[in-house]
Amino acid sequence: MELSDLYSQKILDLAGNASQPGRLADADASARKVSRVCGSVIEVDVVVRDGVITGYGHEISACALGQTSAAVVAREIVGTPVGEFREIRRQMHGMLKENGKPPTGKWEDLRYLEPVRDYRARHMSTLLVFDAVAEAIEKAESIESVAATG
């Protein structure tokens, strides 16, 4: 497969037609991730209530692969239990790094990123949103834990 083949029409459609949620003013926590390989950057904001992601925002500057991942996350994340999101992140890392199966259900559009596994240099930009959201969730849970023990 050539690098140009990686950018399928579906990848280009998902990236090109993605809504840009913007940042959240009232986020519980935020995280910023940068790919040292390609310079892609994402900043995410989350609101977590009772173990469920109830608010999400992001600002991204990334290649089509990073934009595609972020587009699917932005479309599907609100209403997702934290544990489910962590499992999707684990599946994405497994899909790219261990020849695992792509996520299914409402996350099934992530399967279009499966060919990225053959391009290690593209893994980080594809996974950036998942790692940023996981970090923001951890921060939100830490803040909530401190507030509860107050």
Side-chain angles (χ1 to χ4, degrees):
M1 177 187 293
E2 302 223 6
L3 186 59
S4 61
D5 295 335
L6 184 57
Y7 296 94
S8 68
Q9 190 59 50
K10 188 62 176 177
I11 293 287
L12 297 175
D13 288 345
L14 284 167
N17 296 313
S19 64
Q20 297 301 323
R23 303 293 303 274
L24 294 181
D26 60 346
D28 290 342
S30 302
R32 181 177 195 265
K33 290 289 184 184
V34 178
S35 169
R36 289 175 275 132
V37 175
C38 67
S40 292
V41 178
I42 189 164
E43 294 182 76
V44 303
D45 304 305
V46 297
V47 176
V48 179
R49 296 290 178 269
D50 299 319
V52 175
I53 301 160
T54 60
Y56 174 79
H58 76 233
E59 192 170 283
I60 185 167
S61 174
C63 66
L65 302 172
Q67 289 179 36
T68 297
S69 293
V72 174
V73 168
R75 186 183 74 205
E76 303 297 347
I77 195 167
V78 173
T80 298
V82 166
E84 178 184 322
F85 184 83
R86 287 185 171 126
E87 175 60 19
I88 293 302
R89 177 183 182 231
R90 188 197 64 72
Q91 287 176 13
M92 285 299 293
H93 276 265
M95 179 180 85
L96 296 184
K97 298 178 180 298
E98 301 160 7
N99 290 333
K101 296 197 180 293
T104 58
K106 70 180 185 178
W107 302 97
E108 72 180 327
D109 276 351
L110 293 170
R111 75 183 186 278
Y112 296 110
L113 294 162
E114 195 169 8
V116 175
R117 80 167 44 119
D118 296 331
Y119 298 92
R120 291 181 52 97
R122 303 287 189 227
H123 288 188
M124 191 160 184
S125 63
T126 304
L127 296 171
L128 216 55
V129 68
F130 298 97
D131 296 343
V133 170
E135 182 179 313
I137 289 170
E138 286 177 26
K139 287 179 181 179
E141 289 175 335
S142 177
I143 292 167
E144 184 179 51
S145 175
V146 169
T149 60

